[in-house]
Amino acid sequence: MKVAVGADHAGYRMKDELAVCLKGLGHEIVDFGTHSDAAVDYPDIALGVARAVASGAADRGLLVCGTGIGTCIVANKVKGVRAALCHDTFSARATRQHNDSNVLCLGARVIGPSLAEEILRTWFGAGFDRGERHERRVRRISEIEDDSGPNC
Ligand code: RB5
């Protein structure tokens, strides 16, 4: 898969480590930065990654900031993106299976590198549980984004 990765100054070290892991798993990386401790604004980085996923330029996205929250909020503003903040492997698996999430958000100030890698491997290893109820719910998310369908 082609994976768009991005982080702010709080998350770039973890992002770089996880990019190495993703390459080892055979994925191609498109890196939206940042690359140093110099402070940058996470919305701009997150927007680049989210747009890459939404446009199909990338298959998945990975965002890392201090908490993972800021980048997750931004990514979910972009139509077609289902970003999930995960700090445990149960959520990482469940959000792929139930939500078909396409962007993973992590907080480098919340979890350590080993757990982050485990979450990453779990998220990339899990597939969407196709079937009536999960597909219906994900379709409903798209309807809400499009302002279409009943009660929109
Ligand atoms: C940067 O200090 C911090 O606010 C950012 O990394 C992130 O945690 C925002 O949600």
Side-chain angles (χ1 to χ4, degrees):
M1 277 193 252
K2 195 179 269 194
V3 185
V5 303
D8 70 357
H9 50 288
Y12 83 94
R13 282 198 184 84
M14 180 174 280
K15 179 261 292 173
D16 287 349
E17 286 170 16
L18 295 177
V20 170
C21 172
L22 286 170
K23 279 185 199 159
L25 292 171
H27 299 294
E28 189 186 332
I29 302 301
V30 186
D31 194 338
F32 284 79
T34 190
H35 304 285
S36 78
D37 287 319
V40 290
D41 294 337
Y42 64 82
D44 300 312
I45 305 277
L47 187 61
V49 168
R51 282 186 171 156
V53 173
S55 69
D59 303 297
R60 298 274 184 87
L62 169 68
L63 284 166
V64 189
C65 64
T67 59
I69 297 170
T71 49
C72 195
I73 290 171
V74 173
N76 277 315
K77 302 280 180 204
V78 176
K79 184 168 158 341
V81 168
R82 291 178 299 281
L85 173 63
C86 298
H87 288 142
D88 63 274
T89 55
F90 175 83
S91 302
R93 186 174 300 104
T95 188
R96 284 290 307 125
Q97 292 173 335
H98 293 199
N99 317 125
D100 198 17
S101 54
N102 49 16
V103 174
L104 174 66
C105 301
L106 298 170
R109 291 173 178 163
V110 182
I111 56 170
S114 302
L115 178 55
E117 185 174 326
E118 212 178 320
I119 290 168
L120 183 84
R121 287 176 181 276
T122 302
W123 190 76
F124 272 89
F128 183 42
D129 274 358
R130 300 208 170 269
E132 212 270 316
R133 69 197 157 108
H134 298 312
E135 288 190 308
R136 183 182 68 242
R137 291 162 188 166
V138 170
R139 206 164 45 240
R140 189 73 185 115
I141 294 171
S142 304
E143 285 176 358
I144 291 166
E145 282 178 330
D146 290 340
D147 207 13
S148 67
N151 304 318
C152 279

